[in-house]
Amino acid sequence: ELLSATASDGTTLSLSINPDLQQRVLGYLEQTRPPYAVFVAVEPSTGRVLSLAGYSTLDPNWSQQAAYQVYPMASLFKMVTAAAALEKRKISPDTVLEFRGRLVSETPKNWDPSPRGRNHRMDMIEAMGKSVNPVYGLIASDLLGKQSLQQACTRFGFNRPLLLPGVPAAPSPAPPAETVNDLRLQGCGLDHDLRISPIHAAAITAAIANRGSLMVPRLVDQAVLEGRQLKVPATRELERVMSPESADSLTRMLLTTVTSGTSRKAFRSHEGRRLLSEMKIAAKTGSIDGDNPKGHYSWFAAYAPADKPRIALVALVINGDKWKIKASNLGEQALAEFFRQGR
């Protein structure tokens, strides 16, 4: 029931990976065959890595380092923008903002509400579930400003080398915005230079689930050499990224993504509906085009049960012109498997 590996010096390492979850993820990817996919799952309270999977039909070598390379973060960054605004007490989940433009608009100069009225009005909960670009862009420019958003980026681990001890992840860049429109694009996740690794994204998602406490990811539960137990990294907090109160508010904002928001269709599958119907799941999606590798990037981050999380996960699927699956489909399969085990 355990996965193990042997180090070069002969040490036997017992891994924290959940074998059934790992096999379900890889099996689903083999069945659906997207060009590229990455999946990371973490136990929020301890940082134990429950699943770590890379997959590609085009480049087998890519999958080995896929979890540690950086990719455009897309709308997952709305969680950081919201966290910053909650910490500064600029918003609450019930705050209503007015804006113009379509919900998925990518033209920030058109988002300012008209003084003559006839604007859209939406609270933070609905705007998060539907991933409304103008709302989170306006939060960044009108309520936070460049300095406050950059401070939040630093707190959440962007622009910092060797953020996660023992984890070979490339630094996640979040360049300062130069103009108001750039700041709006960054706040809602449309800035292509705003990038993150899946392992870092999973750590952030787990930190929100853990009421603001970012734990160091760890992959080894036990190490034995010639019959002797060796010391392995212990559970430890890296830092606090937000207050428990702000994390609770952000969880409220993330609950509608799977019920009435951007990933509702993925959670209508037969198994997901049966196994997860009574469970509150906090989640966020993201989508953006990228060049390395080239394709359409689909993100899904989630944790469950939302009131007492036992798993936090991030899925990234990169499709070509013909879409195979969305990341939320992979996330739903993983959650169904994890809670099928009676966890």
Side-chain angles (χ1 to χ4, degrees), residues 172-237:
S172 300
E178 295 185 3
T179 68
V180 170
N181 284 344
D182 288 343
L183 184 57
R184 290 178 176 182
L185 290 173
Q186 187 176 76
C188 68
L190 288 172
D191 180 358
H192 282 75
D193 293 327
L194 180 68
R195 292 176 292 152
I196 195 169
S197 63
I199 191 77
H200 184 188
I204 287 177
T205 306
I208 299 168
N210 200 31
R211 303 191 73 208
S213 177
L214 175 63
M215 309 302 289
V216 177
R218 59 187 183 89
L219 189 60
V220 176
D221 281 341
Q222 285 186 319
V224 177
L225 177 61
E226 297 175 351
R228 290 185 301 112
Q229 289 269 2
L230 305 181
K231 187 176 181 180
V232 297
T235 296
R236 72 182 180 95
E237 181 187 66

Side-chain angles (χ1 to χ4, degrees), residues 25-137:
V25 167
L26 289 171
Y28 183 67
L29 292 173
E30 286 286 358
Q31 174 191 336
T32 54
R33 297 183 61 77
Y36 303 93
V38 196
F39 181 84
V40 183
V42 176
E43 188 173 65
S45 62
T46 65
R48 293 176 70 246
V49 177
L50 302 175
S51 182
L52 186 65
Y55 176 87
S56 176
T57 57
L58 302 180
D59 182 1
N61 295 324
W62 177 86
S63 62
Q64 296 301 311
Q65 295 298 319
Y68 308 117
Q69 303 306 310
V70 294
Y71 314 94
M73 190 176 183
S75 288
L76 292 197
F77 191 76
K78 288 184 173 82
M79 297 191 293
V80 177
T81 302
L86 288 165
E87 285 286 88
K88 294 284 187 181
R89 299 189 178 179
K90 299 292 186 180
I91 63 168
S92 74
D94 302 313
T95 298
V96 174
L97 282 188
E98 294 192 357
F99 64 95
R100 287 187 301 162
R102 295 178 302 119
L103 306 192
V104 295
S105 169
E106 298 183 9
T107 312
K109 66 180 182 180
N110 296 335
W111 296 349
D112 290 290
S114 169
R116 289 183 252 168
R118 295 194 210 169
N119 301 308
H120 301 295
R121 289 172 53 85
M122 192 173 290
D123 65 33
M124 298 297 103
I125 295 174
E126 184 179 4
M128 184 66 81
K130 294 181 177 177
S131 200
V132 178
N133 290 335
V135 168
Y136 286 91

